[in-house]
Amino acid sequence: MSLALRRASFAERHAASLRQLRFFAWSFGRSPSSMLGLAIVLGFLLVAAFGPWIAPYPLDAEGAMNLGNRLKPPAAAHWFGTDEMGNDLFSRVVLATRTSLWVGLTIVGMATVIGVPLGIAAGYFGGVARAVIMRVTDVFLSVPGIVLALAIVAALGPGILNGIIALSIVWWPGYVRLVEAKALALRNEPFVEAARAVGASNLRILAVHILPNCTSPIIVKASMDMGLAILAAASLGFIGLGAKPPAPEWGAMISVARTYMPNWWWYAVFPGLAIYLTVLGFNLFGDGLRDILDPKSNRG
Amino acid sequence: MALFVLRRLMLTGLMLFGLVLITFVVSNVAPSDPAALAAGPDATRDMVETIRKEYGLDRPLPEQFVHYVGGLLTGDLGRSIVTTRSVMEDLGRYFPATLELVLLSMTFGVLVGVPLGMLSAVLKNRAPDHATRFVAVSLVALPAFWFGILLQLLFSVQLEWLPTSGRLDIATPPPPFVTGMLLVDSVLAGQWATFADALRHAVLPALVLSFPCLASILRVNRAEMIEVMAADYVTAARAHGISRLRVVCVLALRNAMLPTLAIIGLRWGWMLGSTVLVETVFDWPGIGLYAVSSAIAGDFKPVMGVTLLIGVNFMIINLIVDLLYGVLDPRLRATS
Amino acid sequence: MSALLEISGYRLAFDGFEGRAHVLDGIDLTVAEGETVGIVGETGCGKSVLARSVARLVDMPPGCVPGGGIRFAGQDVFAMDQRGLARLRGHGVAMIFQDPMTYLNPVFSIGSQMVDVIRAHDRAEGKPKRARAAARDAAAELLDAVRLPDPGRLLDRYPHELSGGMRQRVLIAMALTGTPRLLVADEPTTALDVTIQAQVLRLIAELVAARRLTLMLISHDLGVIGALCRRVVVMYAGTIVEDGAADVLFAAPRHPYTRGLLAAVPDLARPAHRARPIPGHIPNLLQPPPGCRFHPRCELAVGRCVAEKPPLRQVDGRLVACHRAEEAAA
């Protein structure tokens, strides 16, 4: 006798999730700006991954000197022109992409790793833990990130690593604030109370009920923050406290280029354009994600 | 209400203490030696030691902290190595310039952001809405330091409409000092030519500074308007025959303004922070430029002073916003 | 009696992720001046959007009207310009809603909201706008008319300071500002306590009688409808299934759905007589059942019910949309 029952296929077992995913894709695809953001982010990732193969003069990124080629305007041989060392700006802009991606990922990663557990602890346990964590968070949030980062870098000394450390230190409080509010709301949800009533441990409740329900806003914030962290790191580079030339970094390039304005305009224009497009891409992408994942929160 | 104000004040005091602690810790984890820095590069070991004693840098950290807080309470923020003046005096000198810029930017951000947000909400998901939202995201993504340079290229170098940097032309006589804000002082003194010149200098930096704030206000206002427009009481107002224009511009806007107000409070601090970049580009002699040049010179005291000033500013503004909230929202008025 | 409201072949659909939901499917309803009509049906049957359609309050998009139309006092509602709409709303059709909390703007005082409405009506009628003070007096008079005590003080209070019953009275007062001809009440008592419900219903009944209003009352509660309305319209899944005088319909329902609805009401006088729920669920309006929309739940359904949409036809002194209306009498 053959079994009439068969194992449900993958599509059948996950019908609800798949339907949800299709709905997300449908809403995301309906917004032209979200799709543009996705395209830019993908392009940025490709450039970061294949930079050394895309750049026509990869050596120029490390600060080779071709003084015969100094400050040439954009042309067929040098699409973005050359800098004061005669280096190809296109190669430098392309190779700096990878730096920016790592910087952004590290800052956002550190901020999430520090901020999310603290936020969950504050929101879920409440009491003294919450009071202490939230007051500290408030203090950090009372000074704009760039200023506090400036102070920290000034103390630690300039450099890209110190810049990353400084920005990570100022970035985590945002995640605490975000997750705390969410965890606080979830704590009183009936399904959490039910779990507690049947004797689930705190750890299990946190892992199974609280954290998964916080992921949407975290993902949305992280994707927006990728762009903003890249922008902040470039800002430090521009001030002269981040990456140091000749290491290829967009902000530092503009910082040097400023002294060559206005006659050698291309020097500043192209690195800046790269920053703008990258940040724009992540922001549009994050904005689109928010519209589908977390439509109720729309705080600027 | 009084209790609410008192509680908020105490909380602000606590936060202030936290901020002081942070700045102290930051300036003391520094690997570089502040005494050596103060003594200068040619100083002998003895001279460095003398300075160390003189500034109390040889004392244990808790004692130094008490000393630091004691100094703060009497308005002593230390001395800048670069300008050789006391940091307090420097802040007094540079802050009005920054305040002038921030006030101008905030006004511009609100005047443009609120109507654009409303327009976007009313035309939700149509072409103007998509365009406005794209512009809003763009404004956040624009690196202020880079866009400032581009504007200088266009309006100052190419078109020669506006000056590149600074607050006044060399040839323009500055007004007598009253508030330190040239736009205000020149009006008070009736120096209209100076006013015009100061305004011409302020246009580009204020514009660049306002963009992220404008974008925030726009987005929040749009989101709030959409939510309010879908609210039952708006349906009811329409059912009672109140015109669409009045529903949007008076009834819904009043509801949507509350969160917008909160954003203005948040953005105030952000904007003060962005002056670090904008003032550097436009050579605007405010606290941002002061912080940057001090930071590059390894001079902590001014950087800490600026950090504290901005933090205090942020706390005061948010206190005001909280109180205004209570006035504008009758539901809060009743409970507090 | 002349027709005040003519709804003919009215269809309404909403476009969404999963396609087009056919929320109203060919509604035919004519209401004469002075009638009191109750519209009853389950949640989601389309009675509320029908009510809103009368004052053109359905947002389009996502809504759209694939066919049919609504005429109020002979004028096509969907052809009106902004001026015409302003005259229609409040002055022609006034609405009161379900949850009086959310239908009052929380940040304005009662007085300022009422003054706003009064002045809007002045403008719509082309009269000179009353001064705020005069409008305030008018507002106080209206509050008095809905029997709210101390109207002068009430005007300065905010919605959150009022009880549910008071808020609903305020909303009724606001609905009366434009001296409307048709009052559309969408579940006016559902959100209120039972004791307050009776007071509000009595108030509505008195106002309707005193001001010779035409009433269109939307409710899922047959008791409420029976108390206020001489005529009952039963809706199911976006269609009208039965329409007739209340006493006729309640005594001898001809549509299987109406019968089910009446049988589902618990009867306190006869506790032994258990309420019988209607088996099955309301259909998915994205792909409504062909033919008669009720056939999947109907015990009398035959092949014809699947193939052919039953028209509203005269049976036994009322209109019924059922192929087997004659058999249903048994």
Side-chain angles (χ1 to χ4, degrees), chain A:
Chain A
M1 190 181 90
S2 73
L3 268 173
L5 288 169
R6 67 184 172 83
R7 218 174 126 69
S9 74
F10 179 82
E12 283 163 356
R13 271 179 291 131
H14 298 274
S17 328
L18 286 175
R19 192 175 160 280
Q20 179 84 355
L21 272 181
R22 263 191 297 128
F23 174 69
F24 284 162
W26 177 79
S27 333
F28 196 86
R30 246 169 34 127
S31 155
S33 57
S34 306
M35 291 306 279
L36 179 67
L38 180 66
I40 296 176
V41 168
L42 286 179
F44 170 77
L45 292 178
L46 285 178
V47 171
F50 298 107
W53 292 275
I54 298 171
Y57 309 94
L59 285 181
D60 285 11
E62 278 118 60
M65 281 208 250
N66 308 294
L67 293 180
N69 247 343
R70 295 182 68 214
L71 298 166
K72 287 272 176 353
H78 301 284
W79 290 357
F80 293 176
T82 62
D83 65 12
E84 84 282 10
M85 297 292 181
N87 290 329
D88 178 45
L89 277 171
F90 179 64
S91 302
R92 287 177 64 78
V93 168
V94 165
L95 290 168
T97 308
R98 201 177 276 189
T99 314
S100 286
L101 180 68
W102 279 122
V103 167
L105 268 181
T106 316
I107 295 170
V108 174
M110 294 288 289
T112 323
V113 166
I114 303 172
V116 172
L118 283 176
I120 286 186
Y124 182 72
F125 294 113
V128 182
R130 170 158 186 264
V132 172
I133 293 173
M134 292 322 288
R135 288 297 86 76
V136 173
T137 303
D138 284 348
V139 171
F140 272 91
L141 286 175
S142 72
V143 183
I146 187 80
V147 175
L148 200 53
L150 182 81
I152 297 172
V153 177
L156 295 177
I160 193 156
L161 187 65
N162 288 345
I164 291 177
I165 293 174
L167 287 171
S168 303
I169 292 175
V170 302
W171 221 281
W172 60 267
Y175 287 85
V176 178
R177 184 59 79 71
L178 178 81
V179 175
E180 185 255 356
K182 191 84 189 166
L184 193 66
L186 285 168
R187 185 170 68 154
N188 298 321
E189 287 284 331
F191 61 87
V192 174
E193 282 184 2
R196 215 176 297 144
V198 298
S201 70
N202 275 332
L203 203 64
R204 187 180 154 76
I205 292 175
L206 288 179
V208 177
H209 295 298
I210 308 282
L211 191 59
N213 281 299
C214 294
T215 44
S216 297
I218 295 174
I219 290 174
V220 170
K221 182 167 168 60
S223 56
M224 307 277 278
D225 277 359
M226 268 300 285
L228 296 177
I230 289 172
L231 181 59
S235 304
L236 283 182
F238 170 76
I239 291 174
L241 292 171
K244 284 274 171 217
E249 199 275 327
W250 295 331
M253 286 164 80
I254 298 175
S255 176
V256 179
R258 199 155 80 95
T259 49
Y260 295 93
M261 297 303 274
N263 293 346
W264 297 280
W265 53 269
W266 59 87
Y267 193 171
V269 164
F270 292 108
L273 204 58
I275 303 175
Y276 167 60
L277 282 179
T278 310
V279 182
L280 179 70
F282 276 108
N283 278 7
L284 287 175
F285 180 69
D287 213 30
L289 278 186
R290 163 159 45 205
D291 281 351
I292 58 169
L293 291 179
D294 198 17
K296 280 202 190 125
S297 82
N298 226 327
R299 309 275 169 251

Side-chain angles (χ1 to χ4, degrees), chain C residues 123-143:
Chain C
R123 218 178 71 129
E125 289 164 42
K127 291 194 287 198
K129 256 205 237 178
R130 262 171 278 187
R132 290 206 161 261
R136 223 182 120 86
D137 291 343
E141 259 169 53
L142 282 164
L143 290 180

Side-chain angles (χ1 to χ4, degrees), chain C residues 239-240 255 290-294 304-305 307-313 320-324:
Chain C
T239 57
I240 292 179
H255 196 283
C292 172
R293 284 186 171 189
F294 187 60
R304 195 176 164 207
C305 302
E308 197 185 319
K309 185 185 170 184
L312 270 177
R313 62 201 171 93
V320 189
C322 179
H323 295 306
R324 307 196 60 195

Side-chain angles (χ1 to χ4, degrees), chain B:
Chain B
M1 189 72 185
L3 197 72
F4 170 72
V5 175
L6 199 71
R7 276 222 340 246
R8 282 291 281 110
L9 277 175
M10 275 171 60
L11 204 64
T12 307
L14 196 70
M15 279 174 68
L16 204 56
F17 180 77
L19 186 59
V20 169
L21 191 63
I22 290 179
T23 55
F24 179 77
V25 168
V26 167
S27 48
N28 280 284
V29 295
S32 53
D33 182 351
L37 212 69
D42 305 323
T44 62
R45 184 175 287 261
D46 281 352
M47 284 164 72
V48 173
E49 281 311 310
T50 318
I51 286 179
R52 199 185 300 281
K53 280 225 167 56
E54 189 185 327
Y55 282 84
L57 294 171
D58 55 339
R59 302 300 171 99
L61 280 179
E63 196 184 322
Q64 280 192 45
F65 181 65
V66 172
H67 186 75
Y68 177 63
V69 174
L72 287 180
L73 289 178
T74 58
D76 179 14
L77 289 166
R79 191 162 281 279
S80 160
I81 297 165
V82 178
T83 65
T84 71
R85 288 184 295 259
S86 84
V87 171
M88 203 63 185
E89 190 188 336
D90 276 346
L91 288 180
R93 183 179 295 228
Y94 296 128
F95 186 61
T98 298
L99 190 63
E100 180 174 42
L101 208 54
V102 168
L103 283 174
L104 216 54
S105 295
M106 193 56 90
T107 312
F108 181 77
V110 172
L111 288 185
V112 178
V114 169
L116 274 184
M118 285 167 63
L119 190 75
S120 208
V122 172
L123 301 174
K124 187 186 168 197
N125 285 334
R126 286 199 254 162
D129 177 37
H130 285 301
T132 318
R133 293 181 76 187
F134 182 80
V135 170
V137 179
S138 278
L139 292 183
V140 175
L142 273 178
F145 52 93
W146 174 70
F147 197 61
I149 293 175
L150 290 193
L151 289 181
Q152 283 176 332
L153 261 183
L154 179 63
F155 290 104
S156 309
V157 179
Q158 282 293 320
L159 300 171
E160 297 186 10
W161 287 353
L162 295 167
T164 321
S165 58
R167 291 178 81 189
L168 278 182
D169 274 344
I170 303 167
T172 310
F177 184 95
V178 183
T179 61
M181 291 186 269
L182 294 183
L183 289 173
V184 178
D185 289 355
S186 57
V187 169
L188 290 179
Q191 298 178 354
W192 296 106
T194 307
F195 177 80
D197 191 46
L199 193 61
R200 271 160 42 83
H201 279 81
V203 168
L204 288 184
L207 202 62
V208 173
L209 192 60
S210 74
F211 284 161
C213 167
L214 193 164
S216 268
I217 291 176
L218 192 162
R219 293 161 60 112
V220 169
N221 210 260
R222 172 184 182 274
E224 267 326 298
M225 279 301 273
I226 288 175
E227 204 181 310
V228 172
M229 292 290 286
D232 290 338
Y233 52 81
V234 168
T235 308
R238 282 168 63 203
H240 292 316
I242 294 179
S243 73
R244 191 174 168 74
L245 193 72
R246 188 164 169 84
V247 166
V248 173
C249 294
V250 181
L251 304 182
L253 184 64
R254 170 85 175 264
N255 293 274
M257 268 320 277
L258 284 168
T260 307
L261 191 69
I263 281 298
I264 291 173
L266 276 178
R267 281 286 159 180
W268 179 267
W270 270 68
M271 216 180 225
L272 280 170
S274 309
T275 57
V276 163
L277 299 167
V278 175
E279 290 183 358
T280 304
V281 171
F282 288 97
D283 212 10
W284 187 270
I287 56 169
L289 186 60
Y290 178 58
V292 168
S293 45
S294 305
I296 289 174
D299 190 0
F300 300 144
K301 288 272 157 65
V303 182
M304 296 312 147
V306 171
T307 309
L308 275 176
L309 178 62
I310 291 179
V312 169
N313 232 287
F314 178 84
M315 289 172 198
I316 293 174
I317 285 289
N318 278 287
L319 192 65
I320 295 175
V321 166
D322 272 9
L323 297 181
L324 267 182
Y325 235 88
V327 174
L328 285 180
D329 191 335
R331 284 165 296 184
L332 288 177
R333 214 184 299 159
T335 50
S336 63

Side-chain angles (χ1 to χ4, degrees), chain C residues 154-176:
Chain C
L154 197 62
L155 287 173
D156 290 322
R157 297 173 72 179
Y158 288 87
H160 69 270
E161 300 172 305
L162 273 53
S163 71
M166 288 168 87
R167 284 196 287 259
Q168 189 58 284
R169 283 167 195 263
V170 169
L171 274 171
I172 294 172
M174 282 167 98
L176 295 176

